[in-house]
Amino acid sequence: MRASQTLFLLLWFFCIYAPTSFSTNVTYDHRALVIDGKRRVLVSGSIHYPRSTPEMWPDIIQKSKDGGLDVIETYVFWNLHEPVRGQYNFEGRADLVKFVKTVAAAGLYVHLRIGPYACAEWNYGGFPLWLHFIPGIQFRTDNKPFEEEMKRFTAKIVDMMKQENLYMSQGGPIILSQIENEYGNIDDHYGPAGKSYIRWAASMATSLDTGVPWVMCQQLDAPDPIINTCNGFYCDQFKPNSKAKPKIWTEGYTGWFLAFGDALPHRPVEDLAFAVARFFQRGGTFNNYYMYHGGTNFGRASGGPFVASSYDYDAPIDEYGIIRQPKWGHLKDLHKAIKLCEEVLTATDPTITSLGPNIEVAVYKKGALCSAFLANIATSDAKVTFNGNSYHLPAWSVSILPDCKNVVLNTAKINSASVISSFTTESLKEEVGLLDDSYSGWSWIGEPIGISKADSFSKFGLLEQINTTADRSDYLWYSLSIDLDTGTQAVLHIKSLGHALCAFINGKLAGSGKGNHEKANFKVDIPITLVAGKNTIDLLSLTVGLQNYGAFFDTWGAGITGPVILKGLKNGSSLDLSSHMWKYQIGLKGEDLGPSGGSSGQWNSQSTLPVHQPLIWYKTNFVAPSGSNPVAIDFTGMGKGEAWVNGQSIGRYWPTYASPSGGCTDSCNYRGSYQASKCLQNCGKPSQTLYHVPRSWLRPEGNTLVLFEESGGNPKQITFATKQIGSVCSHVSESHPPPVDLWSSDAESGRKVGPVLSLECPYPNQVISSIKFASFGTPQGTCGNFKHGRCSSNKALSIVQKGCIGSSSCRIELSINTFGDPCKGVAKSLAVEASCA
C-alpha cells in the first residue's frame, strides 16, 4: 500500500471514529437533509442486523454500497435486547454497536429506527412480553407505565450510541433516528390519548439530544421538529406536514413478506424503479428500500402470526446475501442516474406540468443547470414532445434527462444482466456416513403426550395462551379426563384463537387444525372414538409468532379459549367441556431438558427410528457441504417444527403448509399499480421448503442437527442444498439508452453512444466460459429460455464469443455495422445467455 493510501485511510478512520471535535452538523430544510451545510440526495436500504449474522454483515453492506446506497436503515428490536426486564443482550446477532460500526467502516450513513415499536413482521412487534404484565400498562397510548418503560429503553439505546460516538454530531455515521412507527395508521382507535401520546413521544425523543433529526413515519400530525415520512409501495404523492420539512420515504417496499400458507410475493424491478423515479420526480430527496436485504427469521423471531422463517422480501440482496439480478443492477443504474441530477434536485423545487393524458414532466432548473423527468403513468406506450425533441415513453415508466435533453435511463428498459440461480441438493445421509464409521443415522427422543412436567397446574375453564405462557414457548397443553359408561363415536368441536393445535385422544393423534396469516382464529370438528371408562383429551395449542401490527395488537390472544364440545354422544347429546377443570403445562419436557443443543443423554439410537409420528425429537451428526456457497436444509418430508444446527435455531419449519392453487401468473405485467397480491409465484406449493443455515454456524465436520417434529415426518428425507449461479443473461434493444456510466450530454461529447449489452460474472475470479445463446434480430423469451425470432444475424454468436469468452465482463455495442441488418426496417435487439466458471 502506498503511503498516500495509508494516510487517506487513517484520515478517514479518524473522521468516522473521532471525538466530537470532528463532529458534523445534520439539519434539514424543505428540500433535503443538510449534512455539513450541504443538501443531499440520499438512497437508503433496510438491513436488520439480527436477520443475518455478524460474519455476513460486511459483505452485505459492501454490496449495498456497490449498489449505490448512501445509508443503511435498521430497526432496533427491544425484545431481542431486553428479553427480561433489566437483563440485556447485545452479543452476536444482537450486537447493535458492532453493526453500526460495520456500516461506518464501509463509509455509509445509518438511520437508526429506535421505535421502540418495530412492527417488521417481528414477534410481538419488537415489544418484550414482560412489558405486557406491568400493572396498569396500556401500550402505545398516553399511559404512564408504558411511557416510563419506552423512555427508559429509548434513552438506553441513545446513550449506547453516544458512548461510542456514533451520532454524526459526534463524528459517527448516524444521521437520523426514528421514534414510534406507523402510529398514524391506527391512532384513531386511541382517541385523544393517542394524540397526546404522540406529542409526548416527540418531546421525549428530542430531549435526548442526539444532535440529528428525528422522524415519525406515517404520522401526518408529527409535531415540529419531527419530520413526518411516508411508507408504501408508492410515495410520489406524499407531502410533509410542513413546508420546512423534506420529503422522505422511509419504507419503499421491494417486495413483500412471505407467510406460511401463502404464495411467494414478487415485485418487478421495472415497477419498483418507476416508483422510486416518480418519488424523486415529485420532489423527494431521501428514499429507503424496505428491504434491501431481508434475511432470515431465526429462532422464534418471526411475528405475523404465520410469518415464514424466510424474510427474503424479494430484495435486491437475497436471504443468503447473494445479489438478485436484474433488480440490484437496474436499481444501481437508477441511483447513478438520479445522482447525475443531484446538484439541481437539491437546489430548487420542480416545476410539474402535463404533456397529455397521464403524461407528466417535472423540470428542475437553476441557472445553467437543468434536469427533467418524463413520466408515462398509463399502461400503454406514448410518444411525447419535450423542449422540441421527441421521446418514446414505454408504459408505466419514467425517463430521466440529466441535461433536460438526453435520456440517461428509462425505468422500463433494463440494461443490467439477469442471473439464473438454483439449489443443488446433496444427501444428508451420505454426509453422516463420512463422519464416523461406528455411528451413522438418526437418534430420537419421544416427547410425552399430555402432562409430563412437575410445574403443571389446574384451573377451571380454558385459559388464553399468551397470558399463560408469556411466550416462553410456542406450546401449551390443555388436558382433562372424562368417564363414560359406554364407548362411542363422537365429534370433538374446538374453537381456538390460534394459531394451530393437535388433538390427542387416549394418547393417539386424532386430528389437528390451523389458522392462517389473514385469520389466525379457527374452529375444527374432529371425529373421535371414546372408550368405556376413562378417556384422556390432550390438546396441544401452538403459536406461530405473535401478532405484530394493528391497534391494541398486544391484547390479541391465542390458544384454545373455547368452546370445546363433545358432540354426537348418546341420544345425540353434547357435552360442553369448556368450564371443566383443565390441567395445563407450559412448553415441552424436551425444551426443559435441552435436547435442542444435542447434548441430552437420553437419545435413543438402538431401536427402530419412528417416522411419520407426532412429537418426536430427532438428532443426527453431519459434515457440512463443501465449498463456500450458501447452504440451506430442504425439509421436504417433514411436517412442522423447529430445527437447530449446532445449538442455533434456524427457525420454524413447515413444508406441508401449501399456498392456494390459484392467484399466480406465469408472466408478470409490471404495468399498473402494484400490490402484494400481484405477481404471486409458487401457487399450490409449500410456502417454504428451504431453510437458511449460515456458513458461520457450520464446522467442516462434527456438526449436529436437532429437530422437534410436531405433526410427523421422516427425517431421512431431509437433504442439504447449496445455492449455485447458473447462467448470466442480458437482452437489450436498439431503443435502450446506453449504460448510465457511459452517459454524457451532447455538449460534452461529439459522438452519441448507442445501446450496449453488458455481461459480468457474479463472483470474483470467474470468467465467461461459454456462450449458450446469442441472437441479434428479433429474439424472444427470457433468461434460460431464449429463442431465435423470425430474423437473426448469423454473425451474433461468433461476435459475442470473441468479445466475451475468457473475460470476467464484456460489453457488446448494438450496431448493424457490427452484426449486419438481418431484417431491415424492423426494431431489433440482442439477447445473450452466458456461463461463468
Side-chain angles (χ1 to χ4, degrees):
M1 182 180 293
R2 297 192 301 269
S4 60
Q5 291 177 306
T6 303
L7 178 61
F8 173 79
L9 288 174
L10 286 171
L11 288 172
W12 173 85
F13 179 87
F14 282 116
C15 287
I16 293 295
Y17 296 109
T20 55
S21 59
F22 285 86
S23 63
T24 299
N25 192 34
V26 184
T27 59
Y28 63 82
D29 60 20
H30 80 290
R31 283 301 299 131
L33 289 182
V34 180
I35 300 177
D36 202 19
K38 182 179 180 181
R39 290 175 177 169
R40 294 291 307 275
V41 164
L42 295 170
V43 180
S44 173
S46 290
I47 300 172
H48 296 160
Y49 51 98
R51 284 178 158 141
S52 52
T53 65
E55 292 79 7
M56 294 172 68
W57 293 344
D59 181 63
I60 293 168
I61 292 165
Q62 184 60 48
K63 288 172 178 172
S64 303
K65 182 179 181 179
D66 293 343
L69 265 57
D70 307 292
V71 185
I72 300 299
E73 181 181 281
T74 185
Y75 282 119
V76 176
F77 299 91
W78 191 353
N79 54 8
L80 174 72
H81 295 302
E82 195 178 8
V84 177
R85 192 178 188 279
Q87 296 181 22
Y88 296 99
N89 171 31
F90 290 97
E91 303 295 325
R93 290 183 295 110
D95 194 339
L96 175 60
V97 167
K98 182 176 182 178
F99 179 77
V100 173
K101 287 184 175 180
T102 304
V103 176
L108 299 179
Y109 300 127
V110 173
H111 178 195
L112 194 65
R113 305 177 76 185
I114 299 174
Y117 166 66
C119 184
E121 292 72 58
W122 189 267
N123 193 52
Y124 213 46
F127 286 139
L129 251 293
W130 55 259
L131 197 66
H132 175 73
F133 296 98
I134 292 177
I137 200 165
Q138 289 181 291
F139 287 13
R140 305 179 75 196
T141 189
D142 195 358
N143 171 266
K144 188 174 181 181
F146 177 75
E147 290 171 347
E148 287 176 348
E149 293 297 325
M150 176 175 166
K151 181 177 181 179
R152 181 182 59 81
F153 180 76
T154 302
K156 179 174 181 61
I157 297 299
V158 169
D159 288 344
M160 284 183 65
M161 300 300 107
K162 285 183 176 180
Q163 288 168 16
E164 299 289 337
N165 293 322
L166 292 176
Y167 284 102
M168 181 150 281
S169 56
Q170 303 171 292
I174 302 173
I175 60 170
L176 278 179
S177 286
Q178 180 177 302
I179 196 69
E180 248 299 331
N181 186 52
E182 295 185 331
Y183 191 69
N185 293 349
I186 48 95
D187 60 4
D188 285 350
H189 295 273
Y190 294 86
K195 300 297 183 183
S196 56
Y197 162 65
I198 282 298
R199 291 192 295 271
W200 169 85
S203 176
M204 181 271 290
T206 54
S207 73
L208 296 175
D209 193 25
T210 62
V212 303
W214 287 84
V215 305
M216 283 182 173
C217 62
Q218 296 294 92
Q219 196 66 47
L220 183 61
D221 60 350
D224 294 342
I226 307 293
I227 306 169
N228 66 304
T229 68
C230 182
N231 292 356
F233 290 113
Y234 307 92
C235 280
D236 51 285
Q237 301 299 316
F238 168 76
K239 294 181 180 179
N241 64 11
S242 165
K243 292 183 179 180
K245 299 177 183 179
K247 183 172 177 173
I248 293 178
W249 191 0
T250 34
E251 292 188 12
Y253 305 125
T254 57
W256 201 242
F257 63 88
L258 175 67
F260 289 122
D262 286 357
L264 189 66
H266 165 65
R267 187 177 189 186
V269 69
E270 296 96 331
D271 174 67
L272 179 57
F274 169 79
V276 173
R278 286 282 290 156
F279 177 73
F280 285 100
Q281 175 183 13
R282 295 186 63 88
T285 52
F286 185 112
N287 161 65
N288 178 74
Y289 295 102
Y290 188 101
M291 303 289 297
Y292 199 77
H293 163 72
T296 306
N297 290 314
F298 297 113
R300 298 171 59 239
S302 63
F306 292 94
V307 171
S309 295
S310 172
Y311 200 67
D312 181 86
Y313 225 90
D314 199 30
I317 301 175
D318 74 11
E319 177 180 4
Y320 300 87
I322 302 299
I323 287 171
R324 172 175 277 117
Q325 293 284 37
K327 184 169 279 188
W328 181 89
H330 191 45
L331 294 177
K332 176 182 180 179
D333 288 344
L334 174 64
H335 306 153
K336 288 180 179 178
I338 291 168
K339 288 300 182 78
L340 287 171
C341 311
E342 180 174 15
E343 186 176 356
V344 71
L345 285 182
T346 55
T348 185
D349 296 309
T351 299
I352 299 173
T353 56
S354 173
L355 296 181
N358 296 311
I359 304 296
E360 186 177 278
V361 58
V363 176
Y364 292 84
K365 187 170 179 58
K366 185 79 170 180
L369 297 173
C370 185
S371 292
F373 294 73
L374 308 182
N376 180 0
I377 314 167
T379 54
S380 57
D381 292 4
K383 186 169 284 188
V384 301
T385 299
F386 170 68
N387 280 356
N389 295 312
S390 180
Y391 298 90
H392 175 256
L393 288 181
W396 203 254
S397 76
V398 178
S399 285
I400 301 175
L401 291 64
D403 59 356
C404 283
K405 185 177 180 181
N406 295 291
V407 175
V408 65
L409 178 139
N410 178 273
T411 57
K413 293 185 176 294
I414 299 174
N415 273 321
S416 175
S418 299
V419 172
I420 298 177
S421 63
S422 62
F423 282 90
T424 300
T425 60
E426 54 185 84
S427 170
L428 179 66
K429 184 178 180 180
E430 293 172 4
E431 293 295 325
V432 171
L434 295 174
L435 181 63
D436 189 341
D437 292 337
S438 66
Y439 170 77
S440 67
W442 293 85
S443 55
W444 60 278
I445 300 173
E447 176 68 29
I449 294 171
I451 306 302
S452 61
K453 294 167 58 178
D455 60 356
S456 63
F457 59 94
S458 299
K459 291 278 186 179
F460 284 105
L462 296 165
L463 299 181
E464 190 278 325
Q465 183 165 347
I466 299 171
N467 281 300
T468 305
T469 66
D471 199 39
R472 296 195 300 272
S473 169
D474 281 356
Y475 307 100
L476 178 63
W477 281 106
Y478 298 69
S479 299
L480 60 67
S481 297
I482 58 170
D483 289 306
L484 297 177
D485 295 333
T486 59
T488 185
Q489 303 294 313
V491 173
L492 181 61
H493 173 83
I494 308 169
K495 188 174 181 180
S496 171
L497 291 177
H499 305 143
L501 67 82
C502 296
F504 298 84
I505 305 298
N506 297 324
K508 301 288 186 180
L509 179 64
S512 61
K514 62 182 181 294
N516 56 54
H517 175 68
E518 297 299 326
K519 186 181 179 184
N521 62 307
F522 62 94
K523 57 185 177 181
V524 64
D525 291 291
I526 301 173
I528 62 172
T529 300
L530 299 172
V531 300
K534 181 181 178 181
N535 291 267
T536 302
I537 299 175
D538 295 303
L539 307 178
L540 181 61
S541 177
L542 28 131
T543 53
V544 191
L546 301 190
Q547 188 72 32
N548 60 260
Y549 180 78
F552 308 105
F553 77 85
D554 52 296
T555 64
W556 300 11
I560 302 166
T561 54
V564 175
I565 303 172
L566 280 175
K567 296 180 177 180
L569 298 175
K570 187 185 297 183
N571 300 322
S573 62
S574 297
L575 176 61
D576 191 336
L577 304 174
S578 305
S579 59
H580 284 217
M581 176 70 77
W582 290 81
K583 200 166 188 179
Y584 293 90
Q585 175 182 302
I586 298 170
L588 307 172
K589 187 174 183 179
E591 289 178 301
D592 289 350
L593 295 175
S596 61
S599 59
S600 172
Q602 300 182 25
W603 293 102
N604 184 344
S605 58
Q606 304 303 315
S607 58
T608 303
L609 181 74
V611 297
H612 303 300
Q613 296 183 26
L615 307 188
I616 305 291
W617 294 85
Y618 295 105
K619 182 181 78 167
T620 192
N621 297 312
F622 66 92
V623 172
S626 60
S628 58
N629 289 339
V631 177
I633 296 177
D634 187 338
F635 278 95
T636 301
M638 299 302 290
K640 179 185 181 298
E642 188 174 353
W644 294 261
V645 172
N646 295 330
Q648 301 267 16
S649 175
I650 64 172
R652 300 180 182 94
Y653 64 84
W654 203 347
T656 54
Y657 204 166
S659 63
S661 57
C664 289
T665 178
D666 292 335
S667 61
C668 174
N669 184 356
Y670 70 87
R671 301 163 184 86
S673 294
Y674 179 82
Q675 53 188 354
S677 60
K678 183 180 180 181
C679 300
L680 293 175
Q681 301 173 341
N682 212 43
C683 286
K685 298 178 182 179
S687 300
Q688 185 179 356
T689 58
L690 296 169
Y691 295 78
H692 180 209
V693 182
R695 275 282 180 184
S696 60
W697 290 3
L698 296 171
R699 300 182 285 268
E701 57 183 40
N703 299 281
T704 302
L705 172 63
V706 173
L707 318 174
F708 176 65
E709 173 56 46
E710 297 169 9
S711 58
N714 185 353
K716 292 182 179 180
Q717 295 182 22
I718 289 174
T719 57
F720 275 121
T722 54
K723 191 162 192 178
Q724 314 284 341
I725 300 298
S727 296
V728 180
C729 302
S730 187
H731 190 181
V732 175
S733 72
E734 290 179 314
S735 64
H736 272 58
V740 177
D741 55 0
L742 296 181
W743 183 87
S744 62
S745 68
D746 287 347
E748 295 171 340
S749 173
R751 177 178 179 268
K752 191 172 180 66
V753 180
V756 174
L757 182 142
S758 301
L759 294 174
E760 183 176 4
C761 291
Y763 294 126
N765 304 319
Q766 283 188 324
V767 296
I768 297 169
S769 56
S770 67
I771 304 300
K772 295 181 177 181
F773 179 91
S775 177
F776 178 76
T778 57
Q780 300 173 346
T782 57
C783 188
N785 294 291
F786 285 136
K787 296 178 181 178
H788 292 283
R790 65 181 182 85
C791 78
S792 180
S793 168
N794 56 17
K795 301 178 182 179
L797 181 61
S798 60
I799 290 171
V800 175
Q801 287 174 331
K802 183 178 179 181
C804 295
I805 289 179
S807 301
S808 60
S809 63
C810 63
R811 284 180 166 177
I812 307 292
E813 188 172 347
L814 272 71
S815 170
I816 59 174
N817 294 329
T818 303
F819 292 98
D821 193 345
C823 39
K824 294 183 179 180
V826 174
K828 288 170 281 293
S829 63
L830 174 63
V832 176
E833 180 180 352
S835 292
C836 292

